[in-house]
Amino acid sequence: MKNLRIHLQYKWGAYLAIALATILIWMSIFSALATVAANSRLYVAFFGDRYDTESAQIALEDKLPDYTNQEIKEFSFVIPYLQDGYGTQLAMYTHTMEYDLVIVSERYMYNTIGMDYFVELPTSALSEISAEVYYEDGKAYGFVVSDGKCNNNFTAYCSGNEMCYVFITLGTQNAYAVNDKGDVTNDAAIAAI
Amino acid sequence: MKQTLLQVTTEEYSEKLKRQILFCVACSVFAAVINVVFTLLRNEKNHTLMLALNIIVDIIAAWFIFGYVNLIILPKRRLLSLAESKNHLTVTGIVKDIERDTVMVDKLECTVVTVDGDDIKKVFVATNSGIALNQNQKVTLSLHRNIVINAEVE
């Protein structure tokens, strides 16, 4: 017992370090395990004043399996808080955050937004979607989401008469690998539109 | 009567030590298997529970192994290396005093024994050794760095 007491007196720091290291290691392992793979999630960001994200998410979760075989485990709709110079934030959401789709309301649109932040859409994607295409310099970058003009999944959730545009981001892995990322069979982002 | 540090031969002692080391390895393998099972059982609902179980299992296993190595295996290894050491110094005399408090010598818990021979000498007897001396005994001690390796009690 005396041995044990002396041992604990001198080595208590080692016992503490063992406990902390174990916690840290397992926290990081489990955090990595809990992260949903890019091709198992669909994240959408909306740049506008109002968007019914909850209804959009529920509707998308219900309808998406009818349009794609890709299994999506996690859906997320986000409305970033917009400040002046929202272009920087847009860049952040399209490049860094790796959202799959970005919906931009008419109020925040400008002439070269597609060229600046998004990826040119392939013909295969255009032929699959029965929505008005948004072009810049003759190149297709997105789709128009507006009541009356088309009937796609996001139409009902934009406010009133507001016209919105939906873009596929540079980071997505769920759009036929249009940006050389992901699998060519993954089409959840296209199917969502 | 001859008293030795290990009480058994060095071969028998090192066999026993090997078994204890194997026991430690078995404990860590067992903990690793439990970790794998808990990790495979993990899903979205029991994520936190499995994380907590893995942490608890690993902390208990690591504490136990660390304590076992430090308190049982390492002292025994030190005793073994002492027993296998060469160049012993021999001291003959009468045990005058045995201190009640122990001291740490070469990371071994030892009792301080005063022996009155040609001159008065303080030697150390490892507490987990097979050597037990009493006052006023006439002894011939083999020492290595002042730690008693063998004692011949008359």
Side-chain angles (χ1 to χ4, degrees), chain A residues 74-152:
Chain A
E74 192 175 301
F75 291 87
S76 173
F77 277 71
V78 169
I79 304 177
Y81 175 69
L82 295 174
Q83 294 171 322
D84 292 340
Y86 81 100
T88 317
Q89 283 174 281
L90 191 58
M92 190 178 78
Y93 272 84
T94 52
H95 293 261
T96 318
M97 303 287 281
E98 295 196 348
Y99 275 74
D100 296 285
L101 296 171
V102 168
I103 303 170
V104 183
S105 109
E106 195 173 19
R107 210 159 77 77
Y108 296 96
M109 284 291 288
Y110 63 92
N111 289 342
T112 57
I113 192 169
M115 280 185 236
D116 290 347
Y117 296 120
F118 299 104
V119 61
E120 189 187 340
L121 299 176
T123 340
S124 56
L126 297 179
S127 60
E128 280 208 11
I129 297 167
S130 56
E132 188 184 335
V133 179
Y134 168 76
Y135 290 97
E136 280 175 17
D137 283 349
K139 293 175 182 172
Y141 283 99
F143 298 95
V144 182
V145 182
S146 174
D147 213 3
K149 289 194 176 182
C150 59
N151 182 28
N152 63 34

Coordinates of all heavy atoms in Angstrom, one line a residue, chain A residues 74-152:
Chain A
E74 N -28.1 13.0 -45.2 CA -28.2 14.2 -44.4 C -28.6 15.4 -45.3 O -27.9 15.6 -46.4 CB -26.9 14.5 -43.7 CG -27.0 15.6 -42.6 CD -25.7 15.7 -41.9 OE1 -25.3 14.7 -41.3 OE2 -25.1 16.8 -41.9
F75 N -29.6 16.2 -45.0 CA -29.9 17.4 -45.7 C -29.7 18.6 -44.8 O -29.9 18.5 -43.6 CB -31.4 17.3 -46.1 CG -31.8 16.3 -47.1 CD1 -32.1 15.0 -46.7 CD2 -31.8 16.6 -48.4 CE1 -32.4 14.0 -47.6 CE2 -32.1 15.6 -49.4 CZ -32.4 14.3 -49.0
S76 N -29.3 19.7 -45.5 CA -29.1 20.9 -44.7 C -29.4 22.1 -45.5 O -28.8 22.2 -46.6 CB -27.7 20.9 -44.1 OG -27.5 22.2 -43.4
F77 N -30.3 23.0 -45.1 CA -30.5 24.2 -45.7 C -30.1 25.4 -44.8 O -30.4 25.4 -43.6 CB -32.0 24.4 -46.0 CG -32.5 23.7 -47.2 CD1 -32.6 22.3 -47.3 CD2 -32.9 24.4 -48.3 CE1 -33.0 21.7 -48.4 CE2 -33.3 23.8 -49.5 CZ -33.4 22.4 -49.5
V78 N -29.3 26.3 -45.4 CA -28.8 27.4 -44.6 C -29.0 28.7 -45.2 O -28.9 28.8 -46.4 CB -27.2 27.2 -44.4 CG1 -26.6 28.4 -43.8 CG2 -26.9 26.0 -43.5
I79 N -29.4 29.7 -44.4 CA -29.5 31.0 -44.9 C -28.4 31.8 -44.2 O -28.5 32.2 -43.0 CB -30.9 31.7 -44.6 CG1 -32.0 30.8 -45.1 CG2 -31.0 33.1 -45.1 CD1 -33.4 31.3 -44.8
P80 N -27.3 32.2 -44.9 CA -26.3 32.9 -44.3 C -26.7 34.3 -44.0 O -27.5 34.9 -44.7 CB -25.2 32.9 -45.4 CG -25.6 32.0 -46.4 CD -27.0 31.8 -46.3
Y81 N -26.2 34.9 -42.9 CA -26.5 36.2 -42.5 C -25.7 37.1 -43.5 O -24.5 37.0 -43.5 CB -26.1 36.5 -41.1 CG -26.3 38.0 -40.7 CD1 -27.5 38.5 -40.6 CD2 -25.1 38.7 -40.4 CE1 -27.7 39.9 -40.2 CE2 -25.3 40.1 -40.1 CZ -26.6 40.6 -40.0 OH -26.7 41.9 -39.7
L82 N -26.4 38.0 -44.2 CA -25.7 38.8 -45.3 C -25.3 40.1 -44.8 O -26.1 40.9 -44.2 CB -26.6 38.9 -46.5 CG -26.9 37.6 -47.2 CD1 -28.0 37.8 -48.3 CD2 -25.7 37.0 -47.8
Q83 N -24.1 40.5 -45.0 CA -23.6 41.8 -44.7 C -23.2 42.5 -46.0 O -23.3 41.9 -47.1 CB -22.4 41.7 -43.8 CG -22.7 41.1 -42.5 CD -21.4 40.8 -41.7 OE1 -20.4 40.4 -42.2 NE2 -21.5 41.1 -40.4
D84 N -22.7 43.7 -45.9 CA -22.2 44.4 -47.1 C -21.1 43.6 -47.7 O -20.3 43.0 -47.0 CB -21.7 45.8 -46.8 CG -22.9 46.7 -46.4 OD1 -24.0 46.3 -46.7 OD2 -22.7 47.7 -45.7
G85 N -21.0 43.6 -49.1 CA -20.0 42.9 -49.7 C -20.2 41.4 -49.6 O -19.4 40.6 -49.2
Y86 N -21.5 41.0 -49.9 CA -21.8 39.6 -49.7 C -21.1 38.6 -50.6 O -21.1 37.4 -50.4 CB -23.3 39.4 -49.9 CG -23.8 39.3 -51.3 CD1 -24.1 38.1 -51.9 CD2 -23.9 40.4 -52.1 CE1 -24.5 37.9 -53.2 CE2 -24.3 40.3 -53.4 CZ -24.6 39.1 -53.9 OH -25.0 39.0 -55.2
G87 N -20.4 39.2 -51.7 CA -19.7 38.4 -52.6 C -18.6 37.5 -51.9 O -18.4 36.4 -52.2
T88 N -18.0 38.1 -50.9 CA -17.0 37.4 -50.1 C -17.6 36.2 -49.4 O -17.1 35.1 -49.4 CB -16.4 38.3 -49.1 OG1 -16.2 39.6 -49.7 CG2 -15.1 37.8 -48.5
Q89 N -18.8 36.4 -48.9 CA -19.5 35.3 -48.2 C -19.9 34.3 -49.2 O -19.8 33.1 -48.9 CB -20.7 35.9 -47.5 CG -20.4 36.6 -46.2 CD -21.7 37.2 -45.7 OE1 -22.1 38.3 -46.2 NE2 -22.3 36.6 -44.7
L90 N -20.4 34.7 -50.3 CA -20.8 33.8 -51.4 C -19.6 32.9 -51.7 O -19.7 31.7 -51.9 CB -21.3 34.6 -52.6 CG -22.0 33.8 -53.6 CD1 -23.2 33.1 -53.1 CD2 -22.4 34.7 -54.8
A91 N -18.4 33.5 -51.9 CA -17.2 32.8 -52.3 C -16.9 31.7 -51.2 O -16.6 30.6 -51.5 CB -16.1 33.7 -52.4
M92 N -17.1 32.2 -49.9 CA -16.8 31.3 -48.8 C -17.8 30.1 -48.9 O -17.3 28.9 -48.7 CB -17.0 32.0 -47.5 CG -16.6 31.3 -46.3 SD -16.8 32.2 -44.8 CE -18.5 32.0 -44.5
Y93 N -19.0 30.3 -49.1 CA -20.0 29.2 -49.2 C -19.8 28.3 -50.4 O -20.1 27.1 -50.3 CB -21.4 29.7 -49.1 CG -21.8 29.9 -47.7 CD1 -21.5 31.1 -47.0 CD2 -22.5 28.9 -47.0 CE1 -21.9 31.2 -45.6 CE2 -22.9 29.0 -45.7 CZ -22.5 30.2 -45.0 OH -22.9 30.3 -43.7
T94 N -19.4 28.9 -51.5 CA -19.3 28.0 -52.7 C -17.9 27.3 -52.7 O -17.9 26.2 -53.3 CB -19.4 28.9 -54.0 OG1 -18.5 30.0 -53.9 CG2 -20.8 29.4 -54.1
H95 N -16.9 27.9 -52.2 CA -15.6 27.2 -52.3 C -15.2 26.5 -51.0 O -14.8 25.3 -51.0 CB -14.5 28.3 -52.5 CG -14.6 28.9 -53.9 ND1 -13.9 28.6 -54.9 CD2 -15.5 29.9 -54.3 CE1 -14.2 29.3 -56.0 NE2 -15.2 30.1 -55.6
T96 N -15.3 27.1 -49.9 CA -14.8 26.6 -48.6 C -15.8 25.6 -48.0 O -15.4 24.5 -47.6 CB -14.5 27.7 -47.6 OG1 -13.8 28.7 -48.4 CG2 -13.6 27.2 -46.5
M97 N -17.0 26.0 -47.8 CA -18.0 25.3 -47.1 C -18.5 24.0 -47.8 O -19.1 23.2 -47.2 CB -19.2 26.1 -46.7 CG -18.8 27.4 -45.9 SD -18.3 27.0 -44.2 CE -19.9 26.8 -43.5
E98 N -18.2 24.0 -49.1 CA -18.5 22.8 -49.9 C -20.0 22.5 -49.8 O -20.4 21.4 -49.6 CB -17.7 21.6 -49.5 CG -16.2 21.9 -49.9 CD -15.4 20.6 -49.9 OE1 -15.9 19.6 -49.4 OE2 -14.3 20.7 -50.4
Y99 N -20.8 23.6 -50.0 CA -22.2 23.3 -50.2 C -22.5 22.8 -51.6 O -21.6 23.0 -52.5 CB -23.0 24.7 -50.0 CG -23.3 24.9 -48.5 CD1 -22.3 25.3 -47.7 CD2 -24.5 24.7 -48.0 CE1 -22.5 25.5 -46.3 CE2 -24.8 24.8 -46.7 CZ -23.8 25.2 -45.8 OH -24.0 25.4 -44.5
D100 N -23.6 22.1 -51.8 CA -23.8 21.5 -53.1 C -24.5 22.5 -54.0 O -24.2 22.6 -55.2 CB -24.7 20.2 -52.9 CG -23.9 19.2 -52.1 OD1 -23.0 18.5 -52.7 OD2 -24.2 19.0 -50.9
L101 N -25.5 23.1 -53.4 CA -26.3 24.1 -54.2 C -26.3 25.4 -53.5 O -26.4 25.5 -52.3 CB -27.7 23.6 -54.4 CG -27.9 22.2 -55.2 CD1 -29.3 21.8 -55.1 CD2 -27.5 22.4 -56.7
V102 N -26.4 26.5 -54.3 CA -26.5 27.8 -53.7 C -27.7 28.5 -54.5 O -27.7 28.5 -55.7 CB -25.2 28.6 -53.9 CG1 -25.5 30.1 -53.6 CG2 -24.2 28.1 -53.0
I103 N -28.7 28.9 -53.7 CA -29.8 29.6 -54.3 C -29.6 31.1 -54.0 O -29.4 31.5 -52.9 CB -31.2 29.1 -53.7 CG1 -31.3 27.6 -53.9 CG2 -32.3 29.9 -54.4 CD1 -32.5 27.0 -53.2
V104 N -29.6 31.9 -55.1 CA -29.4 33.4 -54.9 C -30.7 34.1 -55.4 O -31.2 33.9 -56.5 CB -28.2 33.8 -55.7 CG1 -27.9 35.3 -55.5 CG2 -27.0 33.0 -55.4
S105 N -31.1 35.0 -54.5 CA -32.3 35.7 -54.8 C -31.9 36.8 -55.8 O -30.8 37.2 -55.9 CB -33.0 36.3 -53.6 OG -32.8 37.7 -53.5
E106 N -32.9 37.3 -56.6 CA -32.7 38.3 -57.6 C -32.0 39.5 -57.1 O -31.2 40.1 -57.8 CB -34.1 38.7 -58.2 CG -34.0 39.4 -59.5 CD -35.4 39.6 -60.1 OE1 -36.3 39.5 -59.4 OE2 -35.4 39.8 -61.3
R107 N -32.3 39.9 -55.9 CA -31.8 41.1 -55.3 C -30.2 41.0 -55.1 O -29.6 42.1 -55.1 CB -32.4 41.3 -53.9 CG -32.5 42.7 -53.4 CD -33.6 42.8 -52.3 NE -33.1 42.3 -51.0 CZ -32.3 43.0 -50.2 NH1 -31.9 44.2 -50.6 NH2 -32.0 42.5 -49.1
Y108 N -29.7 39.8 -55.0 CA -28.3 39.7 -54.8 C -27.5 39.2 -56.1 O -26.3 39.0 -56.0 CB -28.0 38.7 -53.7 CG -28.5 39.2 -52.4 CD1 -29.7 38.8 -51.9 CD2 -27.8 40.1 -51.6 CE1 -30.2 39.2 -50.7 CE2 -28.3 40.5 -50.4 CZ -29.5 40.1 -49.9 OH -30.0 40.6 -48.8
M109 N -28.2 39.2 -57.2 CA -27.6 38.7 -58.4 C -26.8 39.9 -59.1 O -27.2 41.0 -58.9 CB -28.7 38.2 -59.4 CG -29.3 36.9 -59.1 SD -28.1 35.6 -59.3 CE -28.0 35.5 -61.1
Y110 N -25.8 39.5 -59.9 CA -25.2 40.5 -60.8 C -24.7 39.7 -62.0 O -24.7 38.5 -62.0 CB -24.1 41.3 -60.0 CG -22.9 40.4 -59.6 CD1 -21.8 40.2 -60.4 CD2 -22.9 39.8 -58.3 CE1 -20.7 39.5 -59.9 CE2 -21.9 39.1 -57.8 CZ -20.8 38.9 -58.6 OH -19.7 38.1 -58.2
N111 N -24.2 40.5 -63.0 CA -24.0 40.0 -64.4 C -23.0 38.8 -64.5 O -23.2 37.9 -65.3 CB -23.5 41.1 -65.3 CG -24.7 42.0 -65.6 OD1 -25.8 41.7 -65.4 ND2 -24.3 43.2 -66.0
T112 N -22.0 38.8 -63.7 CA -21.0 37.8 -63.9 C -20.9 36.8 -62.7 O -19.8 36.2 -62.4 CB -19.6 38.4 -64.1 OG1 -19.3 39.3 -62.9 CG2 -19.5 39.2 -65.4
I113 N -21.9 36.7 -61.9 CA -21.9 35.8 -60.7 C -21.6 34.4 -61.0 O -20.8 33.7 -60.3 CB -23.3 36.0 -60.0 CG1 -23.2 35.4 -58.6 CG2 -24.4 35.4 -60.7 CD1 -24.4 35.7 -57.7
G114 N -22.1 33.9 -62.2 CA -21.9 32.5 -62.6 C -20.4 32.3 -62.8 O -19.8 31.3 -62.3
M115 N -19.9 33.2 -63.7 CA -18.4 33.0 -64.0 C -17.5 33.2 -62.8 O -16.5 32.5 -62.7 CB -18.1 34.1 -65.0 CG -18.5 33.8 -66.5 SD -17.8 35.1 -67.5 CE -19.3 35.6 -68.3
D116 N -17.9 34.1 -61.9 CA -17.1 34.4 -60.7 C -17.0 33.2 -59.7 O -16.0 33.0 -59.2 CB -17.6 35.6 -60.0 CG -17.4 36.9 -60.8 OD1 -16.6 36.8 -61.8 OD2 -17.9 37.9 -60.5
Y117 N -18.2 32.6 -59.5 CA -18.3 31.7 -58.3 C -18.7 30.3 -58.7 O -18.5 29.4 -57.8 CB -19.2 32.2 -57.3 CG -18.8 33.5 -56.7 CD1 -19.5 34.7 -56.8 CD2 -17.5 33.6 -56.0 CE1 -19.1 35.9 -56.2 CE2 -17.1 34.8 -55.5 CZ -17.9 35.9 -55.6 OH -17.5 37.1 -55.0
F118 N -19.3 30.1 -59.8 CA -19.9 28.7 -60.1 C -19.3 28.0 -61.3 O -18.4 28.5 -61.9 CB -21.4 28.9 -60.2 CG -22.0 29.5 -58.9 CD1 -22.4 30.8 -58.9 CD2 -22.1 28.7 -57.8 CE1 -22.9 31.3 -57.7 CE2 -22.6 29.2 -56.6 CZ -23.0 30.5 -56.6
V119 N -19.8 26.8 -61.5 CA -19.2 25.9 -62.5 C -20.2 25.9 -63.7 O -21.4 26.0 -63.5 CB -19.0 24.5 -61.9 CG1 -20.3 23.9 -61.4 CG2 -18.3 23.6 -62.8
E120 N -19.6 25.8 -64.9 CA -20.4 25.8 -66.1 C -21.1 24.4 -66.1 O -20.5 23.4 -65.9 CB -19.6 26.0 -67.3 CG -20.4 26.1 -68.6 CD -19.6 26.1 -69.9 OE1 -18.4 26.4 -69.8 OE2 -20.2 25.9 -70.9
L121 N -22.4 24.4 -66.5 CA -23.2 23.2 -66.4 C -23.0 22.4 -67.7 O -23.0 22.9 -68.8 CB -24.7 23.5 -66.2 CG -25.0 24.2 -64.9 CD1 -26.5 24.5 -64.9 CD2 -24.7 23.4 -63.7
P122 N -22.9 21.1 -67.6 CA -22.7 20.2 -68.8 C -24.1 20.0 -69.5 O -25.1 20.2 -68.8 CB -22.2 18.9 -68.2 CG -22.7 18.9 -66.8 CD -22.8 20.3 -66.3
T123 N -24.0 19.7 -70.7 CA -25.2 19.5 -71.5 C -26.1 18.4 -70.9 O -27.3 18.5 -70.9 CB -24.9 19.1 -73.0 OG1 -23.6 19.5 -73.2 CG2 -25.8 19.8 -74.0
S124 N -25.5 17.4 -70.3 CA -26.2 16.3 -69.8 C -27.1 16.8 -68.6 O -28.3 16.4 -68.5 CB -25.3 15.2 -69.2 OG -24.4 15.8 -68.3
A125 N -26.6 17.7 -67.8 CA -27.4 18.3 -66.7 C -28.6 19.1 -67.3 O -29.7 19.1 -66.8 CB -26.5 19.1 -65.8
L126 N -28.3 19.9 -68.3 CA -29.3 20.8 -68.9 C -30.5 20.0 -69.4 O -31.6 20.4 -69.3 CB -28.7 21.6 -70.0 CG -27.6 22.6 -69.6 CD1 -27.1 23.4 -70.8 CD2 -28.1 23.6 -68.5
S127 N -30.1 18.9 -70.1 CA -31.2 18.1 -70.7 C -32.1 17.4 -69.7 O -33.3 17.1 -70.0 CB -30.6 17.1 -71.7 OG -29.8 16.2 -70.9
E128 N -31.6 17.2 -68.5 CA -32.4 16.5 -67.5 C -33.4 17.4 -66.8 O -34.3 16.9 -66.1 CB -31.4 15.8 -66.5 CG -30.9 14.5 -67.0 CD -30.5 13.6 -65.9 OE1 -30.9 13.8 -64.7 OE2 -29.9 12.6 -66.2
I129 N -33.1 18.7 -66.8 CA -33.9 19.5 -65.9 C -34.8 20.4 -66.8 O -34.3 21.1 -67.7 CB -33.0 20.4 -65.0 CG1 -32.2 19.5 -64.1 CG2 -33.8 21.4 -64.2 CD1 -31.0 20.2 -63.4
S130 N -36.1 20.3 -66.5 CA -37.0 21.1 -67.3 C -37.2 22.5 -66.6 O -38.3 22.8 -66.0 CB -38.3 20.4 -67.4 OG -38.8 20.1 -66.1
A131 N -36.2 23.3 -66.6 CA -36.3 24.6 -65.9 C -35.6 25.6 -66.8 O -34.7 25.2 -67.6 CB -35.6 24.6 -64.6
E132 N -35.9 26.8 -66.7 CA -35.3 27.9 -67.5 C -33.8 28.0 -67.1 O -33.5 28.0 -65.9 CB -36.0 29.2 -67.3 CG -35.5 30.3 -68.2 CD -36.1 31.7 -67.9 OE1 -37.2 31.7 -67.3 OE2 -35.5 32.7 -68.2
V133 N -32.9 28.0 -68.1 CA -31.5 28.0 -67.8 C -31.0 29.4 -67.7 O -31.4 30.3 -68.4 CB -30.7 27.2 -68.9 CG1 -29.2 27.2 -68.6 CG2 -31.3 25.8 -69.0
Y134 N -30.1 29.6 -66.8 CA -29.5 30.9 -66.6 C -28.1 30.9 -67.4 O -27.3 30.1 -67.1 CB -29.3 31.2 -65.1 CG -28.4 32.4 -64.8 CD1 -28.9 33.7 -65.0 CD2 -27.1 32.3 -64.4 CE1 -28.1 34.8 -64.7 CE2 -26.3 33.4 -64.2 CZ -26.8 34.6 -64.3 OH -26.0 35.7 -64.1
Y135 N -28.0 31.9 -68.3 CA -26.7 31.9 -69.1 C -25.9 33.2 -68.8 O -26.5 34.2 -68.5 CB -27.1 31.9 -70.6 CG -27.7 30.6 -71.1 CD1 -29.1 30.4 -71.2 CD2 -26.8 29.6 -71.5 CE1 -29.6 29.2 -71.7 CE2 -27.4 28.4 -72.0 CZ -28.8 28.2 -72.1 OH -29.3 27.0 -72.5
E136 N -24.6 33.0 -69.0 CA -23.7 34.2 -69.0 C -22.8 34.0 -70.2 O -22.1 33.0 -70.2 CB -22.9 34.3 -67.7 CG -23.7 34.9 -66.6 CD -22.9 34.9 -65.3 OE1 -21.7 34.7 -65.3 OE2 -23.6 35.0 -64.2
D137 N -22.7 34.9 -71.1 CA -21.9 34.8 -72.3 C -22.2 33.5 -73.1 O -21.2 32.8 -73.6 CB -20.4 34.9 -72.0 CG -20.0 36.3 -71.7 OD1 -20.8 37.3 -72.0 OD2 -18.9 36.5 -71.2
G138 N -23.4 33.1 -73.1 CA -23.8 31.9 -73.8 C -23.5 30.6 -73.1 O -23.7 29.5 -73.6
K139 N -22.9 30.7 -71.9 CA -22.6 29.5 -71.1 C -23.7 29.3 -70.0 O -24.0 30.3 -69.4 CB -21.2 29.6 -70.5 CG -20.1 29.5 -71.6 CD -18.8 29.7 -70.9 CE -17.7 29.8 -71.9 NZ -16.4 30.2 -71.3
A140 N -24.1 28.1 -69.8 CA -25.1 27.8 -68.8 C -24.4 27.7 -67.4 O -23.5 26.9 -67.3 CB -25.8 26.5 -69.1
Y141 N -24.9 28.4 -66.4 CA -24.4 28.4 -65.1 C -25.4 27.9 -64.0 O -25.0 27.5 -63.0 CB -23.8 29.7 -64.7 CG -22.4 30.0 -65.3 CD1 -22.3 30.7 -66.5 CD2 -21.3 29.4 -64.9 CE1 -21.1 31.0 -67.1 CE2 -20.0 29.6 -65.5 CZ -20.0 30.4 -66.6 OH -18.8 30.6 -67.2
G142 N -26.7 28.2 -64.3 CA -27.6 27.8 -63.3 C -29.0 27.7 -63.9 O -29.2 27.7 -65.1
F143 N -30.0 27.7 -63.0 CA -31.4 27.6 -63.4 C -32.2 28.7 -62.7 O -31.9 29.1 -61.6 CB -32.0 26.2 -63.0 CG -31.3 25.1 -63.7 CD1 -30.2 24.4 -63.1 CD2 -31.6 24.8 -65.0 CE1 -29.6 23.4 -63.7 CE2 -30.9 23.7 -65.7 CZ -29.9 23.1 -65.0
V144 N -33.3 29.1 -63.4 CA -34.1 30.1 -62.8 C -35.2 29.4 -62.0 O -35.8 28.5 -62.4 CB -34.8 31.0 -63.9 CG1 -35.7 32.1 -63.3 CG2 -33.7 31.6 -64.8
V145 N -35.4 29.9 -60.7 CA -36.4 29.4 -59.9 C -37.5 30.5 -59.7 O -37.3 31.4 -59.0 CB -35.8 29.0 -58.5 CG1 -36.9 28.4 -57.6 CG2 -34.6 28.1 -58.6
S146 N -38.5 30.3 -60.4 CA -39.6 31.4 -60.3 C -40.9 30.8 -60.6 O -41.1 30.0 -61.6 CB -39.2 32.5 -61.3 OG -40.3 33.4 -61.3
D147 N -41.9 31.2 -59.8 CA -43.2 30.6 -60.0 C -43.8 31.0 -61.3 O -43.6 32.1 -61.7 CB -44.1 31.2 -58.8 CG -45.1 30.1 -58.4 OD1 -45.1 29.0 -59.0 OD2 -45.9 30.5 -57.6
G148 N -44.3 30.0 -62.0 CA -44.9 30.3 -63.3 C -44.0 30.0 -64.5 O -44.4 29.6 -65.5
K149 N -42.7 30.2 -64.2 CA -41.7 30.0 -65.3 C -41.3 28.5 -65.3 O -40.9 28.0 -66.4 CB -40.5 30.9 -65.2 CG -40.8 32.3 -65.5 CD -39.6 33.1 -65.6 CE -39.9 34.6 -66.0 NZ -38.7 35.4 -66.2
C150 N -41.3 27.9 -64.2 CA -40.9 26.5 -64.2 C -41.5 25.9 -62.9 O -42.1 26.6 -62.1 CB -39.3 26.4 -64.1 SG -38.7 27.2 -62.6
N151 N -41.3 24.6 -62.8 CA -41.9 23.9 -61.7 C -40.9 23.0 -61.0 O -41.0 21.8 -61.1 CB -43.2 23.1 -62.2 CG -43.9 22.5 -61.0 OD1 -43.8 23.0 -59.9 ND2 -44.5 21.4 -61.3
N152 N -39.9 23.6 -60.4 CA -38.9 22.7 -59.8 C -39.0 22.7 -58.3 O -39.9 23.4 -57.7 CB -37.5 23.1 -60.3 CG -37.1 24.4 -59.9 OD1 -37.5 24.9 -58.8 ND2 -36.3 25.1 -60.7

